[in-house]
Amino acid sequence: GAGVSQSPSNKVTEKGKDVELRCDPISGHTALYWYRQSLGQGLEFLIYFQGNSAPDKSGLPSDRFSAERTGGSVSTLTIQRTQQEDSAVYLCASSYLAGGPAKNIQYFGAGTRLSVL
Amino acid sequence: GQQLNQSPQSMFIQEGEDVSMNCTSSSIFNTWLWYKQDPGEGPVLLIALYKAGELTSNGRLTAQFGITRKDSFLNISASIPSDVGIYFCAGRKGGADGLTFGKGTHLIIQP
């Protein structure tokens, strides 16, 4: 597709359940980023992938959060044993990491709104 | 995690007025970015700044990268109804790093 695609757009789950959120980056983009946006807040960096490896996982809030990327394309963010404080919009961005900083513009998807009841 | 100090939190203005917002940080960033987010959408890049002191315009928008590399501002001239939304500043330290965001400035245009 033309832009970053995320699915589902909305997810309602019960406390304690696991959830998987999916991100399809822009075709050809080598880097992929996950962010979390709580109500009324800015975006909080979670993790980024360069190809299939994750050089920076420093933003993952706990070991209940994990992410993987396969084939240098699609990424999945998994939250295990969800808690109410996990409720937020989870945003994915991708960029083309070559040619210097001017090329590394992150383009965002519309996000997945997660509600944990 | 760290967030940038963005102000004001919200602005109520009349159509046609100019708008100014800014971001400060206690640490240095090598790239400053300004994004706009509409309801239900992801942020969209407005302006990117790569050098300390750089002043860049994009139509009615003007942004500057502070000399100390710890601050940036965004100005919008002659506001129009479609300028309504939430504006975020973001900083990046390394070329591939994740972005550090401010909490946003909510721009509301009164009829």
Side-chain angles (χ1 to χ4, degrees):
Chain A
V4 178
S5 177
Q6 292 188 245
S7 61
S9 54
N10 285 283
K11 176 72 177 177
V12 180
T13 191
E14 292 179 351
K15 178 181 171 182
K17 301 279 191 185
D18 298 351
V19 295
E20 285 189 352
L21 313 179
R22 176 187 168 107
C23 174
D24 269 287
I26 293 172
S27 178
H29 277 192
T30 51
L32 186 148
Y33 302 79
W34 284 99
Y35 294 85
R36 178 169 70 175
Q37 184 174 26
S38 300
L39 186 63
Q41 300 294 313
L43 282 71
E44 174 190 14
F45 168 74
L46 299 178
I47 185 172
Y48 107 85
F49 289 90
Q50 190 163 339
N52 292 333
S53 63
D56 188 354
K57 306 179 184 180
S58 62
L60 294 177
S62 76
D63 58 7
R64 295 186 296 104
F65 287 72
S66 64
E68 66 174 13
R69 189 180 186 197
T70 55
S73 182
V74 172
S75 176
T76 302
L77 177 69
T78 301
I79 309 173
Q80 296 178 309
R81 305 181 302 281
T82 52
Q83 304 294 313
Q84 288 184 331
E85 61 263 28
D86 299 335
S87 297
V89 177
Y90 290 83
L91 290 150
C92 173
S94 70
S95 69
Y96 180 64
L97 268 188
K103 298 286 186 182
N104 185 16
I105 300 299
Q106 294 181 26
Y107 296 89
F108 284 83
T112 294
R113 181 175 298 278
L114 176 65
S115 299
V116 182
L117 304 179
Chain B
Q2 178 192 6
Q3 283 196 322
L4 304 176
N5 300 311
Q6 186 173 349
S7 63
Q9 284 189 333
S10 58
M11 300 186 72
F12 296 81
I13 64 166
Q14 303 282 343
E15 183 178 350
E17 288 185 12
D18 296 344
V19 171
S20 185
M21 59 191 78
N22 69 84
C23 260
T24 61
S25 170
S26 57
S27 59
I28 287 173
F29 288 94
N30 292 311
T31 301
W32 282 88
L33 304 150
W34 286 91
Y35 284 85
K36 179 174 184 271
Q37 186 176 29
D38 292 327
E41 302 291 328
V44 173
L45 182 69
L46 299 174
I47 292 182
L49 302 154
Y50 300 106
K51 289 172 55 176
E54 180 181 353
L55 182 71
T56 296
S57 293
N58 178 9
R60 293 179 296 105
L61 278 59
T62 301
Q64 183 155 32
F65 188 147
I67 291 289
T68 64
R69 292 193 281 162
K70 293 183 179 180
D71 64 302
S72 178
F73 72 73
L74 174 71
N75 288 340
I76 306 172
S77 63
S79 58
I80 60 177
S82 60
D83 291 335
V84 166
I86 304 177
Y87 292 78
F88 291 100
C89 62
R92 187 176 69 211
K93 298 194 174 182
D97 290 349
L99 302 176
T100 300
F101 280 83
K103 291 189 176 183
T105 295
H106 193 178
L107 181 60
I108 300 161
I109 298 181
Q110 296 173 317

